[in-house]
Amino acid sequence: MLAMVIGVLVFCLGICLVGNFRGLANWMLEHTPSLINSGGASVTTFRLVGVVAIVVGFFWVATALPEIL
């Protein structure tokens, strides 16, 4: 059940990044340089991270389904 919850949260984070809902990707771009050197990163970089998060979340959910069913 925990894997399902984590998968759904990661999937939702990916959806929010891809759609840049509430400016999440922009916010991450503004606040990331304080943690790491962002180099040539742009908002598109964080949107692509969202695509990867969607795939990872999908696989978390897919592997959790046998435990629930």
Side-chain angles (χ1 to χ4, degrees):
M1 189 67 165
L2 181 63
M4 178 68 86
V5 171
I6 292 172
V8 168
L9 289 175
V10 170
F11 186 81
C12 290
L13 174 67
I15 294 290
C16 289
L17 281 173
V18 169
N20 200 14
F21 296 129
R22 299 186 58 98
L24 181 62
N26 291 330
W27 182 84
M28 288 181 71
L29 180 65
E30 293 170 3
H31 289 85
T32 301
S34 65
L35 301 173
I36 59 171
N37 182 9
S38 62
S42 65
V43 174
T44 307
T45 305
F46 289 100
R47 294 178 103 179
L48 290 174
V49 168
V51 172
V52 173
I54 290 171
V55 173
V56 169
F58 175 76
F59 282 111
W60 270 77
V61 170
T63 57
L65 281 178
E67 294 176 9
I68 294 173
L69 300 176

